[in-house]
Amino acid sequence: MKITAIKVIVCSPGRNFVTAKVETDAGAHGVGDGTLNGRELAVAAYLRDHVVPCLIGRDPRRIEDIWHYLYRGAYWRRGPVTMAAIAAIDVALWDIKAKLAGMPLYQLLGGRSRDRVLVYAHGHGADIDEAVDDALRLRERGYRAIRGQCGIPGLARTYGVPVDGKDYEPADAPLPAEHAWNTGRYLEHVPKLFERLRSGLGPEVALLHDVHHRLTPNEAAQLGRALEPFRLFWMEDPAPAENQAAFRRIREMTTTPIAVGEVFNSIHDCHQLIAEQLIDYVRANIGHSGGITHMRRIAHLAELHHVRTGFHGATDLSPVTMGAALHFDLWVPNFGIQEHMPHSAETDVVFPHAYRFADGYMTPGEAPGHGVDIDESLAAKFPYRRAYLPVNRLEDGTLWHW
Ligand code: CS2
Ligand code: MG
């Protein structure tokens, strides 16, 4: 059996996506997601120029060998562009293998460990009242886990809070917009939001919050302590994690659970965080961390140290990553939760998929493979547009973490 062609498709049905479609002489094709928000064309070029020519004629069933061929063979290991490109190929190959076996992917991984996948939704508002109303609406729609974000008085824009009826975090500016950040105001306000969310939603709803890397370890420890009375499911990305040992400070000071890892692309980015049990949830995901083959290693390492998965599932990961993630979530023994941020209607039609949401949970469907495809002719109607997320500056002009 041979790989006969690999198409690299870049489209923008609401936001940009990079998709690899691997074709074989056995009839079955597979689809993988290589989207890297704001750097999409770098992954597309990496795939087209450096990966596709090396794979034509190879046996698509040799997933492990192809993974190492692309990882070790590049000589230049790791990095978000390389690992997103490897993920796109890896997920497409798992899709093919499961289709050839006539099984949904979760069966090939080892079968179901659970019946359905708990997901969390994004609740937000310009102020606390709006955020609480939004969370109550999500609860009515069935969600049992809700992330809370709200505007901070004195700051024109805050991460996770959409304005002007736009989609959340649109990444729509042809050059990055600049926002202002003030840590003191943020630390003062967020505990008030969670006091209201906990009293408004009751004790059962799981509450989450994303700090988006903006605090120092000591400030993160302060926030974690202030949030303890509201029993969060997790506090996400409380500080930048390039320095993994820095999380010891946060860990020692607070019992609020910690989730980190949406910007990670390799097991080495989280090895110390996991091995020292400095976090509770690892957010590395299939699309950015080398596909199913590599994510399986991260999950197994995490299992040894009581760390559970909490896949990043923002809409800058395509429905292909969502489909593959839900199969993985249904199987992986140390599953924690899955982020669910519904895609736009245009994205959903370009990527027909078998997964479904009901009653606060998702299921990947029973279609052979990962159950997500791309409609190429429809995708061609949505050409790439350059689009960036914003950056942050402190009020004195210093560039900060966004
Ligand atoms: C976020 C992401 O979903 C999340 O938790 O942190 O929306 C993140 O900002 C984007 O994926 C960046 O591309
Ligand atoms: Mg996040």
Side-chain angles (χ1 to χ4, degrees):
M1 191 180 301
K2 285 186 169 45
I3 295 173
T4 50
I6 302 177
K7 291 180 182 155
V8 179
I9 304 157
V10 181
C11 64
S12 190
R15 61 193 313 166
N16 294 316
F17 297 112
V18 178
T19 309
K21 180 171 177 182
V22 178
E23 295 173 344
T24 68
D25 61 2
H29 73 269
V31 176
D33 176 24
T35 308
L36 187 61
N37 199 4
R39 298 293 183 272
E40 299 87 357
L41 299 186
V43 183
Y46 190 101
L47 282 165
R48 282 189 186 120
D49 297 342
H50 306 298
V51 171
V52 172
C54 302
L55 296 185
I56 304 300
R58 283 180 192 274
D59 184 341
R61 296 169 298 187
R62 296 187 62 187
I63 299 177
E64 195 71 43
D65 181 69
I66 289 177
W67 196 94
H68 288 283
Y69 179 72
L70 294 176
Y71 184 83
R72 295 181 186 163
Y75 188 66
W76 313 108
R77 293 166 186 232
R78 305 156 64 183
V81 174
T82 300
M83 297 303 275
I86 294 179
I89 300 297
D90 185 78
V91 169
L93 297 182
W94 279 99
D95 191 24
I96 290 169
K97 193 180 275 290
K99 283 176 180 168
L100 291 173
M103 292 177 184
L105 177 60
Y106 74 81
Q107 291 290 11
L108 206 57
L109 290 170
R112 285 191 288 125
S113 296
R114 58 197 54 80
D115 300 328
R116 47 190 188 160
V117 172
L118 178 68
V119 297
Y120 71 90
H122 290 196
H124 41 64
D127 58 25
I128 291 178
D129 285 339
E130 273 187 25
V132 172
D133 287 349
D134 198 35
L136 288 168
R137 272 193 297 275
L138 290 166
R139 182 72 197 95
E140 267 162 38
R141 281 168 43 203
Y143 286 101
R144 295 151 192 264
I146 298 170
R147 189 184 92 158
Q149 310 286 143
C150 75
I152 305 298
L155 294 183
R157 294 290 312 270
T158 315
Y159 164 77
V161 183
V163 289
D164 306 333
K166 281 188 187 161
D167 283 347
Y168 158 77
E169 205 181 59
D172 60 356
L175 289 174
E178 302 213 346
H179 295 170
W181 177 248
N182 182 309
T183 298
R185 289 195 190 129
Y186 171 79
L187 287 176
E188 172 73 20
H189 201 63
V190 171
K192 296 179 190 159
L193 168 67
F194 280 90
E195 185 173 14
R196 287 279 311 281
L197 283 171
R198 183 50 82 207
S199 63
L201 291 164
E204 305 244 310
V205 172
L207 293 175
L208 301 83
H209 180 67
D210 192 347
V211 181
H212 229 244
H213 327 269
R214 290 169 187 201
L215 301 178
T216 64
N218 191 50
E219 290 160 353
Q222 290 174 40
L223 181 63
R225 280 187 160 193
L227 293 176
E228 279 170 19
F230 316 116
R231 287 177 297 99
L232 262 61
F233 186 94
W234 80 32
M235 169 171 78
E236 177 180 335
D237 288 330
E242 287 96 325
N243 178 348
Q244 298 178 48
F247 275 68
R248 288 182 190 140
R249 171 79 183 155
I250 312 176
R251 195 54 158 180
E252 280 160 9
M253 296 298 289
T254 180
T255 55
T256 293
I258 302 168
V260 180
E262 67 183 39
V263 302
F264 293 167
N265 54 72
S266 138
I267 197 165
H268 303 288
D269 295 330
C270 47
H271 185 218
Q272 188 179 6
L273 288 173
I274 291 173
E276 290 189 30
Q277 291 173 217
L278 300 178
I279 58 174
D280 299 276
Y281 298 92
V282 59
R283 280 180 53 72
N285 73 77
I286 288 169
H288 292 148
S289 295
I292 289 164
T293 300
H294 194 60
M295 199 53 233
R296 235 174 15 165
R297 292 196 175 91
I298 297 177
H300 285 323
L301 173 71
E303 190 192 5
L304 297 181
H305 299 284
H306 307 281
V307 175
R308 291 186 281 163
T309 63
F311 281 158
H312 183 206
T315 45
D316 51 276
L317 295 152
S318 92
V320 174
T321 290
M322 191 63 183
L326 289 167
H327 285 272
F328 196 100
D329 293 335
L330 205 64
W331 155 71
V332 71
N334 49 327
F335 170 74
I337 200 165
Q338 166 71 51
E339 182 175 11
H340 179 220
M341 190 176 161
H343 286 100
S344 69
E346 293 102 315
T347 300
D348 277 342
V349 293
V350 169
F351 295 94
H353 50 268
Y355 58 78
R356 297 282 175 268
F357 169 84
D359 200 23
Y361 292 88
M362 290 181 80
T363 42
E366 294 296 317
H370 57 49
V372 187
D373 211 337
I374 181 163
D375 180 330
E376 287 183 66
S377 52
L378 208 51
K381 295 190 178 143
F382 298 97
Y384 168 80
R385 294 176 306 122
R386 194 175 69 205
Y388 285 117
L389 292 169
V391 298
N392 260 338
R393 287 190 189 276
L394 302 183
E395 281 155 341
D396 69 358
T398 306
L399 194 84
W400 199 242
H401 311 283
W402 191 79

